[in-house]
């Protein structure tokens, strides 16, 4: 997960060159499919890690009316909100040839 924290992916929306995105596959739909599958994997990893971190600070009470503001939980949540979005990380990995893929139909 540390490589996702050090990602150079943009935090805001940017425009990509379509030809650059589909260059490895020569098919924009196949490229988007590969990137979207990787983005789903990244999202799952981030979600799992966030839940694990928040569980460390969880306080359980018998009363549903009691709500505690836990500063550690808020800071952890804010950190994860500032990370680049999973699709931006996946596109960055794709453009830097960090995603392994294969087309089983061509084999």
């Amino acid at each position: 997960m540390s490589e996702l924290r050090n990602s150079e992916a943009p935090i805001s929306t940017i425009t990509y060159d379509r030809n650059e995105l589909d260059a490895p596959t020569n098919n924009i739909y196949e490229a988007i499919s590969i990137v979207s599958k990787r983005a789903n994997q990244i999202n799952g990893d981030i979600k799992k890690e966030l839940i694990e971190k928040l569980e460390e600070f969880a306080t359980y009470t018998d009363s549903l009316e009691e709500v505690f503001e836990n500063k550690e939980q808020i800071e952890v949540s804010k950190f994860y909100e500032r990370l680049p979005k999973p699709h931006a990380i996946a596109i960055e990995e794709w453009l830097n040839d960090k995603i392994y893929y294969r087309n089983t139909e061509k084999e």
Side-chain angles (χ1 to χ4, degrees), residues 21-103:
L21 281 175
D22 70 4
T25 60
N26 293 321
N27 184 331
I28 190 67
Y29 302 107
E30 187 176 356
I32 290 172
S33 176
I34 294 166
V35 170
S36 69
K37 288 176 184 176
R38 177 63 182 138
N40 286 335
Q41 290 173 341
I42 293 168
N43 189 49
D45 293 345
I46 291 173
K47 185 175 181 179
K48 180 182 174 191
E49 185 175 305
L50 174 61
I51 289 170
E52 289 172 0
K53 296 247 188 234
L54 291 177
E55 285 292 318
E56 292 175 15
F57 304 111
T59 55
Y60 299 100
T61 61
D62 293 335
S63 173
L64 293 175
E65 296 171 1
E66 293 181 44
V67 177
F68 295 101
E69 260 190 36
N70 190 325
K71 289 185 180 186
E72 290 87 7
Q73 283 179 319
I74 293 169
E75 289 302 315
V76 167
S77 295
K78 285 182 179 181
F79 171 79
Y80 281 92
E81 286 175 3
R82 288 189 294 267
L83 285 177
K85 301 297 179 223
H87 67 273
I89 297 170
I91 290 173
E92 180 210 5
E93 288 180 356
W94 176 252
L95 294 176
N96 292 323
D97 294 326
K98 293 181 180 178
I99 296 178
Y100 169 78
Y101 68 95
R102 63 189 177 115
N103 188 334

Side-chain angles (χ1 to χ4, degrees), residues 3-22:
E3 68 275 358
L4 297 179
R5 290 187 184 129
N6 299 329
S7 173
E8 297 293 323
I11 294 177
S12 62
T13 304
I14 65 168
T15 304
Y16 293 97
D17 180 6
R18 177 190 160 306
N19 295 325
E20 193 177 330
L21 281 175
D22 70 4

